[in-house]
Amino acid sequence: WFSLSLAVQGSLAVSHEEHHAVRRQSHYLAPRGHRHMSDALLQTQVKHGGITSRMAEAFLATGSSSDMIATGMKAEYPYYHTTAEIQEEAKRLVKKCSHRASIKTVTNEGVSIDVVTVESKQASPTNRVFILFGEHSRELISPESGLFFLKALCGEAELDSQTAKVAAVLTDNSFQLVLNGNPRSRVKVESGSYCVRENPSGVDLNRNWDEQWNATGVALADVNPGPLPFSEPETRIFKQLVTEFKPTTFLTVHSGTRGMYMPWAYDTNHLADRNQPAMMEVLKTLDEKHCKCPFGAAGKEVGYACPGTSLDWIYDQMKTPFAFAFEIYVSPNEDEDLTNRWLQKVQGGGSSLLEGGSHLAHSHFSDLFQRHGSDFVHTSKSTAKQSSRQKDDDACFSQFNPDTKERYEATVKNWASAYLEMAHQSNQKLKLNSTMIAA
């Protein structure tokens, strides 16, 4: 892969608008993989207004091999990892990990998914933490944060200074990580189709679990629960993994807004009462350090049904004491407004509502979710807004993923720190109350 960033980082820097003009031209000239762009073709593109002369000079300035244009994610955002790179990096980290680590591949109907396990060489863990990244393929930052977290667990990356130390956490916690839960569709996203959410069969993997599953109860156009619960090989693999691992803490990681949720997500009338205060305490602690965003029960939120989610199935069927869903990134165009509106809600009486056990569906919060749609909180207005985003690849990428290296690095470090802190907090509560742990 050769990246236009070579030119962007040099003296012949191209603007953001020129960069996307190159992207449009490179997709036209080379919709898949690489194509040669000769001097003559460059001049033709300049003549017809496809690219500017400065952009043509930037191509030529990158060296003798620069007549090959990479398209898609690696051309535009070289700091992201391809599916193959995630797999190879995970294997490398496991081999050199400072703690006991292993990786295995689970296959179902020709679909293969890797799972990594990390634990202390001496520990007998109290808390078994399962984290699922990348159920939705367009949310590229989810697996990226998981890969950074794996680096931190294995001693190759540093987390926030205020976060509990990895070695101390591993004394009582073991981790099982699915770094890339929708690998076949992620490959398509990596080619530049940044709006693809479902698996190749068009099924939303986070609506395909057998928990209040409903083929007709979902309102979003791009949310297809599939013909049957666990109809998809990916979700059958997830089910197999969690059934074997028996997590005491579960987390699924998404993006497109920022928020942290606990069950229920499946409808608008129920509140999870088992272990609800302890889960809320964990979310409150994490919010103060890492999010300053909406947090609370995903169920009974703003009148929208969300059946068939991994969050609810794990909590209900596995009796997992701590079950969470995080949404870890939103475009900077929306981020400041989301933070400000949330703080206003909390300071204007929302804090006492949350402490009293209210859902985020309370009318006090409803207009916030109408403006900032979530995969776990929907209104008719936010539904229309989210559907409109899918029409433009560039808009999809920016909505769900950091589009600068600086934002990327800040996001993965912050949330990897949050994952470790989540494990630490839930483990402390398990040690204080062992009856939380399912038999």
Side-chain angles (χ1 to χ4, degrees), residues 246-262:
K246 296 180 174 60
T248 50
T249 299
F250 172 84
L251 171 65
T252 178
V253 179
H254 297 264
S255 65
T257 189
R258 290 189 302 110
M260 300 186 296
Y261 308 98
M262 51 180 275

Side-chain angles (χ1 to χ4, degrees), residues 257-258 294 330 334-342 368 372:
T257 189
R258 290 189 302 110
V330 68
E334 296 188 26
D335 193 47
E336 184 177 358
D337 183 69
L338 173 64
T339 299
N340 290 338
R341 285 174 177 266
W342 173 245
L368 183 149
H372 298 283

Side-chain angles (χ1 to χ4, degrees), residues 60-80:
L60 297 174
T62 58
S64 60
S65 297
S66 64
D67 62 345
M68 297 185 71
I69 299 176
T71 63
M73 182 189 76
K74 291 300 284 189
E76 295 187 273
Y77 311 101
Y79 39 91
Y80 281 80

Side-chain angles (χ1 to χ4, degrees), residues 218-293:
V218 181
L220 284 179
D222 66 338
V223 178
N224 172 15
L228 293 168
F230 294 120
S231 61
E232 307 310 298
E234 294 91 345
T235 51
R236 289 197 294 270
I237 290 173
F238 303 155
K239 178 183 178 182
Q240 174 186 337
L241 291 173
V242 294
T243 301
E244 293 173 352
F245 188 64
K246 296 180 174 60
T248 50
T249 299
F250 172 84
L251 171 65
T252 178
V253 179
H254 297 264
S255 65
T257 189
R258 290 189 302 110
M260 300 186 296
Y261 308 98
M262 51 180 275
W264 301 101
Y266 69 78
D267 75 357
T268 59
N269 298 311
H270 298 83
L271 175 67
D273 53 7
R274 177 171 51 82
N275 206 33
Q276 191 262 359
M279 286 191 287
M280 281 294 293
E281 288 174 6
V282 171
L283 292 182
K284 183 177 181 180
T285 299
L286 294 175
D287 180 69
E288 292 172 353
K289 293 183 178 181
H290 300 285
C291 201
K292 291 182 172 58
C293 64

Side-chain angles (χ1 to χ4, degrees), residues 366-399:
S366 61
D367 64 314
L368 183 149
F369 291 107
Q370 289 173 0
R371 185 174 180 87
H372 298 283
S374 162
D375 195 49
F376 297 88
V377 186
H378 287 283
T379 69
S380 59
K381 292 182 180 179
S382 65
T383 296
K385 182 179 179 183
Q386 193 172 40
S387 296
S388 68
R389 290 177 186 141
Q390 300 162 14
K391 298 177 182 179
D392 182 88
D393 283 326
D394 292 333
C396 277
F397 189 97
S398 296
Q399 178 66 28

